[in-house]
Amino acid sequence: MQGIEKKKTKETILRQPVSPETTTSKQKGGPSDHFQNVQVVKGINGLDKVVLRQIRGSSAEVYLYGGQVTSWKNDRGEQLLFVSNKAIFKPPKEIRGGIPICFPQFSDFGSLEKHGFARNRMWSIDTNPPPPTTNSPSRAAIDLILKPSKEDLKIFPHSFEFRLRVTLGLEGELMLTSRIRNANSDQKPFKFTFAYHTYFSVSDISEVRVEGLETLDYLDNMKKRERFTEQGDALTFESEVDKVYLSSPTEIAVMDHERKRTFLIRKNGLPDAVVWNPWDKKSKAMADLGDNGYKHMICIEAAAVEKPIFLKPGEEWIGRQELSTVPASYYCSELDPWRVGGS
Ligand code: BG6
């Protein structure tokens, strides 16, 4: 489901094994028992993190700090997201890598701090989440919620409710669903921009090819956001890049030739796609990225940037991304049209 919903989301209690110290759990989820595992443990520097595990071996980790996914592993235990080995897991510093949430502002497209404040706030486990959109008994999921503090209201004077669901599917696919609701009681609408700032782990940036953005218009953040049109073939990388591709397709492929792996990004409600790699000089200048960090990452960010989302009181916006991998080479034209699955 894409865009804004006027109807208030029906709220039911989704029982999840989310209390601290929870260990492996089996839940009755339907016709037969299926493995499901959600665990809350202490992560780096004692910060709470939620670990999701699937029966076939894939896993994901989500820090309550930032509501940030910091690990996504396939069933062979291979890490698919880049997290800098110099990342600082210490509030209020944002965590360098994984999937930071940019809200209520992408980058410096506005007067708030860069990328907004959601990525350096402490989120909570949502004890009253929306119902799952599918009854798949195999889902391993966690629902988080962020509401503004008194301090937040001073810089962004709007009573939003941001619900984030992170789901690990049976095949190891990772789904993020954001539901943002205007809970203002003063009849005031608000607007925001947004991104899932995903850092993919790649063997070597010079081996990477991105398909799905060729021929699109983009704003070049390195050229005062001037608008250009991408020419030619799939994107490859040999220098710094910082572009916002506009009205991009719902599916983007990131091919890593050396690892013989292709990431598929499927998005909904998020028309834009940001591509960022800081390259060597900027990488060196970032203490939490380090000299060679840029070589092993590429950020492809499902986003709503060019046209901010407007929400009237009571309205809710939903933005989803689903990440999966397929082996070796992949060509967009070979795939069936994509539809966002349930989460
Ligand atoms: C990208 C922006 O999304 O994030 C870049 O387009 C920015 O301009 C990058 O440099 C990293 O931002 P930050 O705040 O995490 O260092």
Side-chain angles (χ1 to χ4, degrees):
M1 190 182 302
Q2 179 173 345
I4 298 168
E5 277 192 340
K6 290 198 177 159
K7 249 176 40 189
K8 200 172 169 242
T9 311
K10 194 184 158 210
E11 292 179 339
T12 57
I13 295 177
L14 176 67
R15 295 187 201 288
Q16 297 180 17
V18 292
S19 57
E21 318 309 337
T22 302
T23 51
T24 305
S25 69
K26 261 191 169 189
Q27 290 199 322
K28 285 196 192 285
S32 59
D33 265 5
H34 284 264
F35 177 91
Q36 185 177 19
N37 193 316
V38 181
Q39 207 177 5
V40 183
V41 298
K42 292 290 175 199
I44 298 170
N45 291 332
L47 295 171
D48 285 330
K49 73 174 178 187
V50 181
V51 182
L52 305 178
R53 284 196 190 86
Q54 268 294 356
I55 193 162
R56 293 180 186 165
S58 59
S59 65
E61 295 183 0
V62 192
Y63 272 75
L64 296 194
Y65 178 57
Q68 189 159 332
V69 176
T70 54
S71 173
W72 172 40
K73 289 182 181 170
N74 62 18
D75 54 14
R76 290 184 297 283
E78 296 162 344
Q79 182 56 259
L80 303 170
L81 296 177
F82 170 87
V83 177
S84 168
N85 54 21
K86 295 194 161 55
I88 298 160
F89 286 70
K90 209 170 189 183
K93 177 76 184 156
E94 62 277 358
I95 301 167
R96 177 70 59 198
I99 313 181
I101 303 281
C102 303
F103 172 84
Q105 177 183 297
F106 172 75
S107 191
D108 51 359
F109 282 63
S111 57
L112 298 176
E113 63 196 271
K114 192 176 169 199
H115 286 326
F117 50 79
R119 67 175 176 168
N120 47 28
R121 292 293 182 273
M122 206 55 86
W123 292 55
S124 307
I125 290 171
D126 190 0
T127 52
N128 194 16
T133 50
T134 64
N135 285 327
S136 169
S138 58
R139 60 197 282 289
I142 186 70
D143 286 276
L144 302 183
I145 185 164
L146 180 70
K147 292 183 187 178
S149 66
K150 276 186 189 153
E151 291 307 305
D152 295 337
L153 288 169
K154 287 182 190 160
I155 53 170
F156 187 73
H158 305 289
S159 290
F160 65 85
E161 285 173 7
F162 187 150
R163 292 188 154 81
L164 173 68
R165 175 170 295 162
V166 181
T167 307
L168 188 65
L170 189 59
E171 305 296 331
E173 66 277 22
L174 184 69
M175 288 157 286
L176 277 78
T177 304
S178 289
R179 295 176 168 84
I180 298 172
R181 201 170 81 84
N182 182 338
N184 276 340
S185 52
D186 57 7
Q187 299 307 305
K188 279 197 189 140
F190 67 75
K191 62 175 180 172
F192 62 89
T193 49
F194 178 96
Y196 290 118
H197 194 313
T198 308
Y199 289 72
F200 292 96
S201 167
V202 294
S203 55
D204 183 332
I205 184 67
S206 51
E207 294 288 324
V208 172
R209 192 180 148 92
V210 176
E211 288 200 357
L213 302 175
E214 51 278 6
T215 76
L216 295 184
D217 281 3
Y218 64 88
L219 308 178
D220 195 334
N221 284 331
M222 292 166 62
K223 293 183 182 155
K224 297 183 180 157
R225 302 209 176 112
E226 211 182 316
R227 193 175 178 124
F228 297 93
T229 304
E230 194 60 69
Q231 305 292 338
D233 218 349
L235 313 186
T236 53
F237 303 93
E238 49 196 29
S239 59
E240 184 183 351
V241 59
D242 191 354
K243 297 175 178 176
V244 182
Y245 288 86
L246 307 173
S247 305
S248 56
T250 55
E251 185 162 309
I252 299 166
V254 183
M255 298 149 80
D256 183 338
H257 290 289
E258 205 172 299
R259 288 209 179 120
K260 297 188 172 48
R261 174 188 294 148
T262 295
F263 293 102
L264 300 182
I265 305 160
R266 292 159 169 167
K267 60 191 179 69
N268 204 255
L270 296 160
D272 305 321
V274 182
V275 178
W276 179 64
N277 184 291
W279 221 254
D280 55 349
K281 281 195 192 118
K282 280 202 182 153
S283 194
K284 271 185 195 147
M286 295 163 80
D288 61 349
L289 189 51
D291 294 4
N292 290 321
Y294 79 99
K295 285 188 184 164
H296 306 296
M297 56 155 276
I298 180 69
C299 285
I300 310 287
E301 310 170 35
V305 175
E306 189 198 24
K307 294 179 188 136
I309 310 293
F310 277 85
L311 281 184
K312 292 184 195 150
E315 284 184 340
E316 184 178 74
W317 169 86
I318 301 180
R320 286 194 174 117
Q321 93 166 357
E322 179 182 321
L323 308 178
S324 58
T325 59
V326 290
S329 293
Y330 157 87
Y331 298 97
C332 293
S333 54
E334 288 178 4
L335 272 201
D336 291 336
W338 175 78
R339 295 180 64 80
V340 173
S343 58

